[in-house]
Amino acid sequence: MARPEKVRLGDLLVQQKLISLDQLQFVLEQQKRSGRKLGRVLVDNGFISEDQISEALAKQLNIPYINLKYYNPNLEIVRSLPENQARRFRAVALEERNGALLVGMTDPTDLFAFDEISRLLKRDIDVAVVTEGQLLETIDRVYRRTDEISGLAKEISEELGEGYIDFGALSDTVGTEEAPVVKLLQTMFEDAVQVGASDVHIEPQETRLQIRFRIDGALHLQTEADSKIASAIALRLKLMSGLDISEKRLPQDGRFNVRVREQAIDVRISSMPTQYGESVVMRLLNQSNSFLTLDKLGMPPDMLKRFREIIQRSNGMVLVTGPTGSGKTTTLYAGLSEINTIDQKIITVEDPVEYRLPGINQVQVNEKIELSFSKVLRAALRQDPDVILVGEMRDAETAQIGMRAAMTGHLVFSTLHTRDSAGTLFRLVDMGVPKYMVASSVQCV
């Protein structure tokens, strides 16, 4: 394919009547001040979407536009372009087509990137247009460290061998970065953060160790390894979280903090004895990530409008339901951030505190000292709050206190584990909450 021609994006979008001349002048002024790319400034101002820009470029250059959301790339071909170069040039190798390699680029008019990619791949290339957001998601998904994790797991298995494991000596190497267990955990955390996993499951089976990530509410197999490394991994994680390493018969809970890819991660860990060893599940809370706003949650416009109206009310209960990792807390915090003003007293009762939000009083539940949801909720009601967030309705007592608070002039946010929205009301009644309380308090599910 011949090198693509250089086009002026702003003029192209005005010509195709996707933006007005006034909008173009406005973003050009912003671009001069910020130094960002014109397309990004246009998208951030809401004048146009990434899809529209890509489709306009494809039409002008007479090349295909590929929606990566529905594209299943060939991993071997994708990895033929090194990750750092893929990120630098905002490009991804996609497939063989007509004797050439099809490469998706966010800016196919970048002639320097085109020449460099051709040189790196040592191939003739054809270009397609892709959006930047979808391209970065694809890069994060494809350039994962599964092979490295599997290799480290095999290395640990070989080191441990078939004989007796000196756990004392193993625990002395906690700070040694070269230790295979530490390298495995570090690599596993990096991969989990890269793909946006909310939970990591380390599960010993009869003949293998299974490691799974929960991504967008669904569990995905990350890797499988020899089952004999399970105890070494569980031991290291228990040491990191300050748990009793000699106790393997009882469940234990703990927490620790790690820094991964320059991001602070708060890790909540739960260990539980199973038939083939200790199962360890970790909840990853990324403190570096800012939570989403309501506009970015993906709600349909009419639903978003109704939700905004409901959270502005002075009393009632707003419930968000769904499976683990589906975004219940993220949705509630997006709502809280919208009503977090100086004239509102907001208290949250959570286990754990998942986001830090300035101006809000956040309380961490601690069952070990009998600081339960119901006890904190009772105390919170004496703090003259306007809005209360209860992390989860776990029992009838907490549900009834929350309902009474909603009936007596407080706006209460909470979550519940149900299969669907309609089943929420029946679940509350099943928990022992009187029907009249449910009918008068629940504003939105």
Side-chain angles (χ1 to χ4, degrees), residues 344-347 379-388 410:
Q344 295 273 28
K345 168 86 169 186
I346 302 176
I347 299 176
L381 289 169
R382 295 194 289 271
Q383 293 276 313
D384 186 31
D386 297 295
V387 181
I388 300 172
H410 304 89

Side-chain angles (χ1 to χ4, degrees), residues 400 404 407 429 433-442:
Q400 290 196 31
R404 288 195 179 96
M407 292 172 65
V429 173
V433 180
K435 293 179 181 179
Y436 77 88
M437 227 180 244
V438 175
S440 58
S441 299
V442 177

Side-chain angles (χ1 to χ4, degrees), residues 130-412:
V130 295
T131 65
E132 184 174 25
Q134 291 175 6
L135 176 122
L136 292 176
E137 286 178 8
T138 300
I139 290 175
D140 285 342
R141 187 174 69 251
V142 171
Y143 291 94
R144 293 179 59 184
R145 307 182 71 174
T146 303
D147 295 339
E148 186 176 349
I149 291 173
S150 299
L152 287 167
K154 186 177 180 181
E155 184 180 341
I156 296 170
S157 177
E158 290 171 353
E159 281 202 3
L160 294 178
E162 299 295 338
Y164 173 75
I165 300 168
D166 184 359
F167 286 126
L170 192 61
S171 66
D172 290 338
T173 64
V174 172
T176 307
E177 291 186 358
E178 293 303 314
V181 177
V182 176
K183 288 173 68 178
L184 170 63
L185 291 175
Q186 181 182 355
T187 308
M188 182 179 68
F189 280 126
E190 287 179 357
D191 192 37
V193 170
Q194 180 169 308
V195 298
S198 61
D199 301 84
V200 176
H201 294 241
I202 302 173
E203 303 158 317
Q205 306 295 313
E206 184 176 8
T207 58
R208 70 189 193 284
L209 174 68
Q210 180 175 270
I211 299 177
R212 297 190 290 174
F213 291 170
R214 188 176 295 279
I215 305 169
D216 293 332
L219 278 172
H220 300 265
L221 180 65
Q222 208 288 335
T223 192
E224 291 182 337
D226 195 314
S227 60
K228 63 189 176 189
I229 75 170
S231 55
I233 293 175
L235 172 73
R236 185 57 51 88
L237 288 169
K238 290 167 78 172
L239 283 166
M240 291 169 68
S241 50
L243 301 181
D244 183 356
I245 62 173
S246 64
E247 181 56 79
K248 301 177 183 177
R249 302 163 299 170
L250 297 173
Q252 296 188 67
D253 296 317
R255 61 181 292 183
F256 60 92
N257 296 293
V258 293
R259 182 164 288 278
V260 180
R261 293 172 170 259
E262 301 302 318
Q263 299 179 63
I265 309 296
D266 188 8
V267 182
R268 307 300 168 100
I269 180 173
S270 169
S271 70
M272 182 178 70
T274 67
Q275 185 177 5
Y276 301 111
E278 286 184 283
S279 170
V280 177
V281 175
M282 293 176 286
R283 166 62 60 91
L284 309 183
L285 304 173
N286 193 335
Q287 303 302 334
S288 305
N289 280 355
S290 57
F291 47 83
L292 299 174
T293 60
L294 285 178
D295 292 315
K296 295 182 179 178
L297 288 181
M299 285 189 191
D302 57 333
M303 183 186 294
L304 179 60
K305 181 182 178 183
R306 283 182 289 165
F307 187 69
R308 279 198 161 113
E309 290 171 353
I310 289 168
I311 64 175
Q312 295 294 337
R313 294 176 184 174
S314 59
N315 59 73
M317 178 169 283
V318 175
L319 289 169
V320 179
T321 67
T324 301
S326 60
K328 298 186 295 294
T329 305
T330 300
T331 302
L332 289 181
Y333 261 95
L336 276 189
S337 66
E338 186 132 325
I339 61 174
N340 181 23
T341 56
I342 195 66
D343 59 341
Q344 295 273 28
K345 168 86 169 186
I346 302 176
I347 299 176
T348 74
V349 186
E350 302 172 77
D351 183 25
V353 174
E354 296 194 29
Y355 298 101
R356 270 66 167 176
L357 190 60
I360 287 182
N361 300 282
Q362 297 172 279
V363 183
Q364 166 76 51
V365 169
N366 189 342
E367 297 289 354
K368 291 181 180 177
I369 58 173
E370 298 182 356
L371 189 64
S372 61
F373 273 104
S374 56
K375 184 174 284 188
V376 177
L377 192 49
R378 283 197 184 92
L381 289 169
R382 295 194 289 271
Q383 293 276 313
D384 186 31
D386 297 295
V387 181
I388 300 172
L389 183 147
V390 183
E392 184 182 344
M393 293 291 184
R394 290 186 178 175
D395 52 57
E397 185 180 12
T398 304
Q400 290 196 31
I401 297 170
M403 289 289 177
R404 288 195 179 96
M407 292 172 65
T408 55
H410 304 89
L411 184 61
V412 180

